[in-house]
């Protein structure tokens, strides 16, 4: 097949070529196809159709951090991810896991992600004070020896390997763990290899709350696929529910003096932000999920207080309240598609989460340093960038100053968007979400 492609390009008769431009286009298209074919990773060559969970600890501050392996855990059931898209085409995250074939050094799986540690080091406390964070990555289960390379971006946004771990499936100590409850199918559309598997995990529900928890899960599943463009992809979702039993009813809020014992350890006031709802107990979270197939995690927190939070390819945490319909699609935009917040919040203590000297990694904010690589193609001809906020531009894609919590230097694509002050998703966010679905469903 490859030889035939080359012959098509180099042995065409001159009279068959209409123009020089035609040759250029044919060459570019076929070479792109050839390179994609050559660089493709064959799943069956390197992996079993299972999942290896890697738990580790990240310790440090803004100056440096170290990684310590905690455990290898083998999940039963099949690998929930795509068998085709094994190399991350987006690289939105600050961190990256790279699986290399030990014999050849070939990259056979990569995924980028963010974590709570990344946000911690952007706070005043995180500049100097050392803290310990739990993190987990999932990779397909290797057939032979591989190198697990934990990478982080440097100041020029290049990935640098922090730690390299050799995993030999023949000799490695691999644990198996069973969750307390079995997953429930809330929405099932088919083969996990070609669907986006989302797991909803309950927190803050006691045994007396069992009926409420079941109903809340079904409501969450319905709300997740209610808004476009998620609604357009309803047939691409598998949504699972995992119940847990907490000692206490509700969710902790240290600022209000409420510290509760819950299954997942969710809490408000994370990073000193009153409405920021997350958990530091990442390993406990994955233990609770157990063998449910999952690529994205949503924690369903049993609280009527307004709040939520999400981190790209890490997890989302959303309260059960009248605000769920608007909070859930917003937070899922973070964890699933790598979207940034498009609003301004001067009370948030993050200092350098989005630099104005480099182009942000997120697809829906820009510093205009490399705007050509973002959504410049969606801006109508003649509309200036930066774009003034005005009634005439209310429904136009532009570059409006103010986003990523910063009042100046960071620009968002729309005056109003679900990732900002509310409403529907703008065209830029929709494009990013639609593109992300492809690597889960092909």
């Amino acid at each position: 097949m490859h030889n035939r492609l080359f012959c098509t390009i180099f042995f065409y008769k001159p009279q068959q070529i209409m123009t020089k431009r035609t040759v250029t286009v044919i060459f570019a298209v076929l070479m792109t196809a050839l390179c994609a074919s050559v660089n493709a990773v064959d799943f069956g060559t390197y992996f079993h159709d299972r999942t290896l969970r890697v738990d580790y600890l990240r310790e440090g501050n803004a100056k440096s951090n170290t990684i310590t392996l905690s455990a290898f855990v083998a999940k039963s059931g099949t690998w929930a991810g795509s068998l085709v898209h094994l190399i991350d085409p987006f690289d939105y995250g600050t961190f990256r896991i790279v699986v290399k074939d030990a014999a050849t050094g070939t990259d056979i799986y990569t995924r980028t992600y963010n974590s709570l540690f990344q946000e911690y080091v952007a706070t005043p406390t995180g500049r100097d004070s050392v803290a310990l964070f739990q993190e987990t990555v999932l990779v397909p289960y290797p057939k032979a020896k591989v190198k697990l390379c934990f990478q982080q971006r440097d100041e020029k946004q290049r990935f640098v390997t922090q730690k390299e771990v050799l995993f030999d499936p023949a000799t490695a100590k691999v644990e198996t763990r069973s969750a307390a409850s079995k997953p429930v199918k809330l929405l099932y559309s088919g083969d996990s290899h070609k669907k986006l598997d989302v797991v909803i995990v309950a927190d803050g529900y006691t045994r007396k709350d069992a009926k409420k928890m079941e109903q809340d899960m079904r409501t969450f599943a319905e709300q997740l696929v209610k808004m476009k463009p998620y609604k357009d992809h309803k047939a691409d979702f598998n949504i699972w529910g995992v119940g847990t039993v907490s000692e206490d009813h509700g969710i902790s809020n240290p600022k209000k003096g409420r510290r509760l014992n819950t299954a997942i350890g969710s809490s408000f006031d994370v990073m000193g932000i009153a409405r920021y709802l997350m958990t530091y107990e990442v390993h406990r979270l994955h233990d609770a999920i157990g063998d449910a197939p999952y690529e994205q995690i949503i924690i369903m927190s049993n609280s009527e207080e307004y709040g939520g939070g999400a981190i790209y390819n890490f997890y989302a945490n959303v309260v059960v309240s009248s605000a769920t319909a608007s909070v859930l699609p917003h937070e899922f935009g973070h964890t699933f598609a790598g979207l940034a917040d498009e609003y301004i919040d001067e009370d948030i203590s993050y200092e350098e989460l989005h630099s104005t000297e480099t182009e942000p990694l997120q697809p829906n904010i820009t510093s205009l340093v490399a705007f050509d690589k973002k959504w410049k193609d969606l801006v109508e001809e003649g509309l200036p960038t930066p774009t003034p906020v005005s009634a005439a531009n209310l429904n136009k894609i532009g570059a409006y100053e103010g986003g990523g919590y910063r009042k100046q230097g960071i620009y968002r694509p729309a005056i109003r968007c679900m990732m900002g002050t509310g409403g529907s998703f703008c065209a830029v966010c929709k494009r990013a979400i639609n593109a992300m679905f492809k690597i889960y469903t092909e």
Side-chain angles (χ1 to χ4, degrees), residues 228-239:
K228 287 178 175 287
Y230 305 133
K231 183 178 181 179
D232 300 330
H233 291 277
K234 184 176 180 179
D236 292 326
F237 278 93
N238 286 337
I239 305 179

Side-chain angles (χ1 to χ4, degrees), residues 40 111 229 272 291 325 333 341 375:
R111 277 299 179 271
D291 293 326
D341 283 317
W375 63 86

Side-chain angles (χ1 to χ4, degrees), residues 98-113:
V98 179
V99 182
K100 291 180 178 287
D101 176 49
T104 64
T106 303
D107 291 359
I108 55 177
Y109 181 82
T110 72
R111 277 299 179 271
T112 62
Y113 57 99

